[in-house]
Amino acid sequence: MIRFSLFIIVLYLAQIKALCAQQNNLFDEAHTKRFASYLYYSGQYAQAIGEFERLLYFNEQSDSTKYYLISAYQKANKIKEGITAAHRVFGNSIYTDNNTIILFSKLLAASNTDALILFASQVKNDTLSKLVKMQGAFQSANWKDAEIYFSQGKLLNPDLFEPFKSISEQSMLVKHRSPFAAAAMSTLVPGTGKVYTGNWKDGLVSAIMISATTFQAYQGYSRKGFDSPKFWIFGTFTAGFYFGNIYGSVKSAQKFNKTQNDAFIKKSRQIFMALDTF
């Protein structure tokens, strides 16, 4: 009976040990790698970051783990944290390693265009330097420079720059509206500056309001001259609508240009973010 009891105890302890060993194995490198990959490819990027960080403890020299880690930061929209992590895990290779250059550029493209342009000048690879400069020019709405960098880069690596061909050509055809011309048109004929920028309704309303208040002011003046309260009241309204119409025409032109630029900036960023790395 005592032997049987001892046997049961030993068997029980062995099962506990095996269970603990199995539990510990769930956190080994192989299991962590599989779980991190699952999280990444299922779109759970924020959770994947922690697992890839854990993988670096097992093997801090693994380039693929570093790439996936920084990519997860970018896809999780943790841009500032990703930039800090990239400096930590890659060091100076952000300027020399091709995959790292593109990864780091994506973080900057999503964060700060000025930083992206500065980084482009520090990139050692001439082809990728032109690629990053081109994207910086796109995001600054500098279409002429973007076209120059595209043309130069296309000669060096046609396949890499091919996705930007359409947007590069279209950006050169962007039509802007001159704020000065819009203001001048509305100064001469109220409302026409807004019509020029595509705001037909606003232009029509401005023209009607200014015409109506001008007519009322004229009626007051024709009856009592400068002593007419009606003249001064509606004259004040007319002046306010008139100068507001000029200012509004300038803002309308600026808004029109921004809308045009933003569409191309957004498209270029989408293409850039979709570039393959590892």
Side-chain angles (χ1 to χ4, degrees):
M1 186 66 181
I2 295 176
R3 290 181 178 179
F4 180 75
S5 298
L6 289 173
F7 173 75
I8 295 298
I9 293 172
V10 171
L11 181 62
Y12 178 71
L13 292 175
Q15 288 178 337
I16 292 177
K17 183 178 181 181
L19 183 62
C20 290
Q22 183 179 10
Q23 189 72 17
N24 289 333
N25 286 340
L26 292 177
F27 298 98
D28 63 12
E29 183 176 1
H31 282 85
T32 301
K33 186 174 184 179
R34 284 197 291 270
F35 186 49
S37 297
Y38 163 75
L39 291 173
Y40 182 90
Y41 286 108
S42 64
Q44 302 178 68
Y45 303 115
Q47 293 87 340
I49 290 171
E51 297 304 313
F52 285 123
E53 290 280 14
R54 190 198 310 277
L55 273 177
L56 285 179
Y57 283 107
F58 290 109
N59 183 4
E60 62 180 16
Q61 302 303 321
S62 173
D63 287 338
S64 62
T65 299
K66 295 176 183 179
Y67 295 144
Y68 277 107
L69 171 64
I70 303 307
S71 178
Y73 271 113
Q74 181 252 310
K75 291 179 181 295
N77 201 32
K78 294 181 177 292
I79 306 303
K80 291 183 178 180
E81 297 92 331
I83 291 173
T84 300
H87 280 291
R88 168 169 53 86
V89 301
F90 287 123
N92 287 331
S93 64
I94 61 173
Y95 305 108
T96 57
D97 178 77
N98 292 352
N99 279 333
T100 308
I101 290 170
I102 294 178
L103 271 175
F104 193 69
S105 297
K106 288 182 178 181
L107 289 171
L108 296 180
S111 172
N112 189 312
T113 299
D114 290 338
L116 179 67
I117 295 172
L118 176 61
F119 174 69
S121 65
Q122 298 171 307
V123 170
K124 304 304 179 184
N125 183 299
D126 188 45
T127 300
L128 293 184
S129 177
K130 285 182 170 51
L131 176 73
V132 179
K133 286 179 179 178
M134 178 190 69
Q135 184 58 29
F138 272 129
Q139 293 190 193
S140 299
N142 191 338
W143 312 127
K144 290 184 179 180
D145 282 357
E147 170 62 22
I148 291 173
Y149 292 129
F150 170 78
S151 299
Q152 294 174 345
K154 194 78 178 346
L155 296 175
L156 297 172
N157 190 328
D159 292 336
L160 180 62
F161 283 81
E162 180 61 28
F164 295 92
K165 179 179 179 181
S166 176
I167 190 171
S168 179
E169 293 174 345
Q170 293 174 18
S171 66
M172 296 303 294
L173 302 176
V174 174
K175 294 181 179 180
H176 287 147
R177 295 291 184 263
S178 168
F180 176 80
M185 292 174 69
S186 283
T187 299
L188 296 174
V189 182
T192 55
K194 292 184 177 181
V195 173
Y196 165 65
T197 62
N199 287 333
W200 292 85
K201 292 182 179 180
D202 285 352
L204 182 60
V205 169
S206 294
I208 292 173
M209 293 299 295
I210 293 173
S211 297
T213 54
T214 299
F215 177 73
Q216 292 295 326
Y218 172 75
Q219 279 193 327
Y221 178 79
S222 63
R223 292 175 182 175
K224 296 184 179 181
F226 289 111
D227 293 329
S228 170
K230 185 177 182 180
F231 166 75
W232 288 107
I233 292 172
F234 283 98
T236 300
F237 283 146
T238 298
F241 286 134
Y242 180 75
F243 290 108
N245 160 68
I246 295 173
Y247 175 77
S249 296
V250 171
K251 300 300 291 184
S252 182
Q254 293 173 341
K255 182 179 179 180
F256 178 91
N257 294 340
K258 186 177 185 302
T259 300
Q260 297 294 307
N261 291 341
D262 286 350
F264 284 98
I265 291 171
K266 181 179 179 180
K267 182 62 177 179
S268 72
R269 187 183 283 117
Q270 289 175 339
I271 297 172
F272 189 75
M273 293 299 186
L275 290 175
D276 290 331
T277 49
F278 46 91

